[in-house]
Every structure is written in C-alpha cells, then in structure tokens.
Amino acid sequence: MLLEITFNYKSKNDIFEYLLGYYAKDYTYHYEQKDEKITIKVKGEKDEIQAFCTTLEKISHSVFLNKFDLKLIEEDFTPIKKEKNFTKRSFLTRLNANAYTQGELLSNEWGVFVDEEFKIENEFIKITKENFHDNLKKALERLKKQEKIYFKNSKGVYVFEIFNDNLDDFLIPSDPKHINAFFSCNNEQFKILAGVEKPLMKLKFNAIFRQNHSPTQEYFKIKLYDNLFLFAICYELEKEGVKFLNFKKIEHFEDDFEVAFIENELLVCKGYDYILPEFRNLIFQKEDKNFARISCILTDFKDKKTLLLELSKAYDDVILLDKELNLLKLSLPKSFDEFYKTISQDDVAKRLLANYEKEFTLVQKEFNVTNSFFNLFGMIGMILELDKDVQKAALALLALADESKMAKGVRIDFKLNEQKEFDYTKTLRSVMSFKLAGVENQIIALGVVESLAYFLRDLFDDLKAKNQVDCVVLSGSLFEHKSLSKNVFKHIPFFKLSDVPLWI
C-alpha cells in the first residue's frame, strides 16, 4: 500500500521537514520539499499506513502550513533518507507539553529541553530536568506574591508578572481557552497563535474587556507560551484561577517573531528566525539591510515577472519592475509651506487654498521624512487634525481606515504628473476639498487607503496588459495594516507574499 501526502508550506525553512522525518523514521518513506510544497510518500501494509496516519496527529502545527492533500498512489518509489544538518529548535511542542501534564519531563523532537534562562532569585540560571521542579515552585511562589520573574533568550530579556490591569508589551494566557475572555479571536487566528513557532499577533480587545478595564488601545499583542518552563508556570497558575501573564521586554537583542493574519493570508511582520539561513546571514551582514531584505524576497520569485511593491513606514517607497527599474518617483515636501507655495501656482488650487483658509487653520509644520506613502498619509492625517506629529498622524489615519465598517470611502486623487512623477499635491488637494465639503474623517481615511490600492491596481493592470509582469510581490511594513492589504488582495489577485518579514 502506497500513500502520498502533499503539504502546502509557505516557507523554505526546515521546521516541518524535520518534524515529518522525525515521526516517519520508523516507516519506509521518501520526502521532498520544493517551492511551497512538501511531499511525503510512505509504503507498507494497511495497518502500517494507518499507524503512520495516527502518528502524524502528534505533529505540532506550523503557522506556515495551511492545507494538505492525501491520496493512495500506485507508482512505487525508492526510499531516500537525506543526510542533512537541521537547525536546532527550542520549541514547546505537543510532545514535551503533553509529557509534562502526565508528570514526565521530556526534551522536544530536536532534543532541546529549555533553552531560555530564568532569573527567579538573584541571577539567571539554566533550567534543567534536575532543577526544574524546585525552580518552578520558587517561581510560582514569587508570582503569587505579585512579584516578577525575568527570563532571557536570543531575542532579549523579559520580565513578567500575573496580569493586574497593567498592559506592557504583550500578554500570554495561562490556557488558550482564556484568550476569548480578553480578545476577539476567530478559529483561524487561534490556529496561528497555537503554531509551533508561537508568534506574537495583535488581537482586538473584546467589548467586555474594554468595559471592565478601559484600555488606551483597541488592539494588543498576545502569544502563547513557547518553552516548557513557561508552559509549566502557566499550567500550574491556571489551576489557581490566573488567566493571563503580563510581559515587558526590557532589553532588545532581536525582533520577536510577529505575524498578521489578514483575509486568510499570513503576513510575517517581524523576526528572522524562520527564513533561509543564507538569507538571514546576507541581510544582517549588509549595511543597507532593507535593500538586502528586498533582494532576498525577489530571489524567491526569480522565475516570475514581478512588480515589487515595497511600501514602508521607515524607508523610501519603491515600485520595482523586473527586479531593477524603480517606477515610483515620489518626492514629498520639507514643509507644508512648500506645499502651499507649489499649489498657489495653479489658479484652481489657489482658490481652494483661499476657501480652505476661511474655514480651517492651515497646518504649519516642517519635517524631514522619507519619501513614502506612509508619510503622505501623515500629512493627510495632520490636515484632518488627527495629530501634530507626521508619523502619529499617519498611524491615526491608518487606524481609522482599519477600523472602518463602511463599504467604501471617497475617491482621493492618486495620480502621476506629465513627467511620470507621483503628484502628492493632487492627493492633498483632494483631501482638503473633501474636508471643506464636510466629509467625515473616517470616510476620507478609508478613501485614502482604497485610492492607493486603486492606483497600484491600475499600474499593475497596465504593465500586465503589456506582458511586462505576471504578479505583484508585496513587501514593506505598510502592508501590516489590514485596510491596505485587504484592498490590494481584492484588486490585485495576482499577488505573492514572502516569508521574509515586512520589517527590518
């Protein structure tokens, strides 16, 4: 009997490949990882195949795994067990977590027990099987006294305590069943949070939590326990009625792994642990890390005719055709006065400015910003009086768009001028006109984000009609906002995402 299982796996890392090999080691099998698919073939008697399928249920889920296809095949194969050096992982998995609940201490499938160090008394110590229970008892005693515990890993140093209305950097529930006590979390988001990589993810506080605790933000970061000692702390505290632990990162070494889940698409926002090692090495060896990050992303799509949309909160935006030609010529002003002087050269715009000044105070602000749509959003946000700081105004505008329940916003001008340069003045003039007409800020905010998506769609459609592109590759931190990503997904269905993070 021959069985073939094909997994859709949206990453080139070796996590799921290793787990498959680990649980298939007692069977006759062959596997291959190519592009975004991992295929494993197993042969044996019927009871052996059934036993293998049962064994697969023990494998921890990965955030990069979205579906699989299982079928019986007739063509035989030659078993090949590849010799490969796999990356050691310190994950909490079903294997060691379930063992603890049964009173046993086990390492995970990679042979790692607890990689992190904990400071329970005076200094950081390594948690071993020998000192596990003694240190667990001490940690629980301190936490119950409302004291704090420290731990350190490759990403930084953290301090945590039992949640007592303070919100620092992120929360961890004592049991996943408590997530919905604080947050609105659907099944797909829950599945991502429970992945073996244990990512950070922003979730929206539910109405009951907002009513009882009055948080200053609508969204907050959450993750599940990611090592055995932390799991044991949560497991024991849950018996005492504790629902959440509050964490603060007090020393930063690297970004934590963070994702967003938008319209059933996983976007890797931060954290470089799960990309190819050669990509990671290249990025962090280069002085221009963002350019190196973009190069790695394009390597993933070297066989495609790509249009790269690199829209960032920290760098100049780039729209790259055929991996080398930047089509975006965007040059923002150094002040609002520069913008006013530019549009005053046009009679229609000059009349708009005069009428606008009768109703509203003109923004007076100088700034030194990157040439990006994010900072254009910031100028718009300042016009809408969302904030006096350009970046905070941009985030406020995006928050309005992200939270909008409306079907659509107003159409804002996103256009190129005769020199094929992006005409930011048309965009700002359009916003001022709608504000003057009394249109609500949220309708304008949604319209701004939608109109950017339409602009990108029209650009792509034009290039595709000329057979110059066949897909867009989305890159850059602006895409972590659901209002933009959702609209781009909708209007440009030929999109690709990389497992290389949006941020650097």
Side-chain angles (χ1 to χ4, degrees):
M1 194 172 185
L2 300 166
L3 177 71
E4 179 182 283
I5 310 177
T6 301
F7 299 90
N8 280 24
Y9 191 74
K10 294 195 170 184
S11 179
K12 291 183 172 61
N13 67 50
D14 61 12
I15 295 169
F16 201 69
E17 181 186 2
Y18 178 83
L19 285 171
L20 273 178
Y22 180 90
Y23 283 100
K25 61 181 181 290
D26 296 329
Y27 300 89
T28 302
Y29 73 94
H30 169 79
Y31 70 80
E32 181 180 26
Q33 182 166 359
K34 187 177 180 182
D35 296 327
E36 293 185 349
K37 296 189 183 296
I38 299 176
T39 301
I40 184 166
K41 299 176 182 179
V42 182
K43 65 180 173 181
E45 299 300 321
K46 182 179 179 180
D47 58 341
E48 290 179 295
I49 297 297
Q50 289 175 334
F52 174 73
C53 292
T54 302
T55 299
L56 282 186
E57 295 175 4
K58 300 176 183 177
I59 296 182
S60 297
H61 179 76
S62 169
V63 300
F64 300 107
L65 182 67
N66 61 1
K67 63 180 179 179
F68 67 91
D69 178 55
L70 183 150
K71 64 182 179 182
L72 294 174
I73 57 175
E74 296 181 359
E75 185 179 349
D76 201 357
F77 61 87
T78 303
I80 298 176
K81 295 194 177 182
K82 301 176 183 178
E83 294 296 326
K84 179 175 176 178
N85 291 321
F86 287 92
T87 305
K88 282 271 188 180
R89 305 287 183 180
S90 60
F91 295 140
L92 176 74
T93 66
R94 290 180 180 177
L95 177 67
N96 52 354
N98 289 341
Y100 176 81
T101 64
Q102 301 300 314
E104 188 178 3
L105 294 179
L106 288 183
S107 298
N108 66 15
E109 289 87 337
W110 286 265
V112 178
F113 185 57
V114 177
D115 207 33
E116 296 79 2
E117 295 182 4
F118 285 78
K119 182 180 176 182
I120 301 165
E121 294 178 316
N122 299 320
E123 57 186 5
F124 283 101
I125 59 169
K126 187 82 173 172
I127 302 296
T128 66
K129 291 180 182 179
E130 290 72 27
N131 68 19
F132 187 94
H133 288 294
D134 184 47
N135 283 303
L136 176 60
K137 182 180 178 182
K138 291 176 183 176
L140 292 170
E141 287 173 352
R142 289 184 71 91
L143 289 166
K144 289 176 191 176
K145 292 177 185 176
Q146 303 302 314
E147 296 176 359
K148 298 179 179 182
I149 302 292
Y150 295 78
F151 83 93
K152 177 168 58 176
N153 61 21
S154 62
K155 304 293 180 298
V157 180
Y158 308 77
V159 60
F160 65 93
E161 61 186 342
I162 293 174
F163 173 73
N164 59 2
D165 283 350
N166 289 332
L167 290 169
D168 287 317
D169 291 335
F170 60 91
L171 296 176
I172 289 184
S174 60
D175 188 293
K177 69 185 180 184
H178 295 309
I179 292 175
N180 286 111
F182 281 15
F183 298 94
S184 299
C185 181
N186 62 37
N187 288 337
E188 289 303 314
Q189 290 170 320
F190 182 88
K191 190 175 174 183
I192 296 295
L193 284 167
V196 70
E197 300 85 359
K198 302 299 188 294
L200 281 169
M201 182 189 288
K202 287 180 183 176
L203 292 181
K204 188 176 183 179
F205 284 124
N206 61 31
I208 295 173
F209 181 87
R210 291 199 302 273
Q211 182 179 341
N212 293 337
H213 299 275
S214 301
T216 56
Q217 62 267 65
E218 291 209 17
Y219 286 81
F220 197 72
K221 292 180 185 179
I222 181 176
K223 67 173 290 178
L224 299 186
Y225 28 64
D226 57 5
N227 67 72
L228 186 60
F229 193 68
L230 201 50
F231 168 77
I233 288 173
C234 290
Y235 185 79
E236 301 302 334
L237 286 176
E238 204 273 335
K239 297 176 185 177
E240 307 276 339
V242 173
K243 291 184 177 180
F244 281 89
L245 297 176
N246 174 46
F247 284 72
K248 183 177 181 64
K249 190 171 188 177
I250 58 174
E251 194 171 346
H252 181 90
F253 303 153
E254 293 181 17
D255 287 339
D256 292 278
F257 182 56
E258 183 176 342
V259 303
F261 192 67
I262 301 172
E263 299 292 298
N264 292 318
E265 294 288 343
L266 180 77
L267 286 82
V268 179
C269 301
K270 295 181 179 179
Y272 282 76
D273 274 358
Y274 307 123
I275 64 172
L276 287 173
E278 52 266 40
F279 281 6
R280 178 186 168 89
N281 293 338
L282 174 67
I283 291 169
F284 286 97
Q285 284 171 4
K286 296 292 184 180
E287 186 174 344
D288 188 342
K289 292 178 174 52
N290 194 50
F291 180 78
R293 183 186 66 85
I294 292 170
S295 298
C296 291
I297 290 173
L298 290 173
T299 301
D300 273 346
F301 306 103
K302 59 187 176 184
D303 298 327
K304 301 280 188 182
K305 291 187 284 188
T306 59
L307 181 69
L308 176 90
L309 305 180
E310 164 64 18
L311 307 185
S312 172
K313 298 180 188 177
Y315 301 93
D316 287 351
D317 283 351
V318 176
I319 298 180
L320 205 61
L321 175 63
D322 198 25
K323 304 175 179 63
E324 57 184 31
L325 179 61
N326 184 14
L327 300 181
L328 182 63
K329 297 175 183 176
L330 171 62
S331 182
L332 294 178
K334 300 300 181 187
S335 67
F336 271 93
D337 277 346
E338 183 182 332
F339 161 60
Y340 301 143
K341 287 176 184 176
T342 301
I343 65 171
S344 294
Q345 297 170 24
D346 177 271
D347 289 340
V348 174
K350 193 173 182 178
R351 285 196 298 274
L352 168 66
L353 194 60
N355 291 332
Y356 187 89
E357 200 169 2
K358 291 176 185 176
E359 301 293 330
F360 304 104
T361 302
L362 291 178
V363 179
Q364 301 292 332
K365 180 78 173 179
E366 293 184 358
F367 34 71
N368 183 20
V369 296
T370 56
N371 292 308
S372 66
F373 287 113
F374 175 72
N375 286 316
L376 178 59
F377 288 179
M379 293 184 70
I380 294 168
M382 293 172 76
I383 290 171
L384 299 181
E385 301 175 59
L386 301 179
D387 203 280
K388 293 181 179 179
D389 176 82
V390 65
Q391 296 199 335
K392 289 178 181 177
L395 292 172
L397 179 111
L398 285 160
L400 283 176
D402 287 345
E403 288 304 301
S404 175
K405 301 291 191 294
M406 292 173 288
K408 61 190 303 183
V410 291
R411 192 67 178 262
I412 306 293
D413 286 340
F414 276 74
K415 295 179 179 179
L416 302 180
N417 61 22
E418 293 178 357
Q419 291 75 40
K420 300 296 182 183
E421 299 164 336
F422 184 84
D423 192 346
Y424 78 89
T425 66
K426 291 280 182 65
T427 307
L428 296 182
R429 284 168 54 182
S430 183
V431 169
M432 292 168 72
S433 295
F434 281 115
K435 183 178 179 181
L436 199 54
V439 178
E440 293 179 10
N441 280 356
Q442 190 163 44
I443 299 175
I444 294 174
L446 179 60
V448 167
V449 177
E450 278 184 335
S451 298
L452 172 58
Y454 291 141
F455 169 75
L456 298 172
R457 176 202 63 187
D458 293 345
L459 178 62
F460 174 77
D461 286 348
D462 181 52
L463 293 169
K464 191 171 187 296
K466 297 173 183 175
N467 200 31
Q468 290 181 275
V469 297
D470 52 25
C471 69
V472 296
V473 177
L474 309 184
S475 170
S477 48
L478 198 59
F479 284 107
E480 70 180 358
H481 290 276
K482 68 178 182 180
S483 54
L484 177 61
S485 287
K486 186 165 70 171
N487 274 289
V488 170
F489 295 166
K490 176 181 177 181
H491 296 298
I492 314 179
F494 305 96
F495 69 87
K496 299 287 184 182
L497 293 165
S498 171
D499 62 347
V500 179
L502 301 176
W503 280 90
I504 182 68

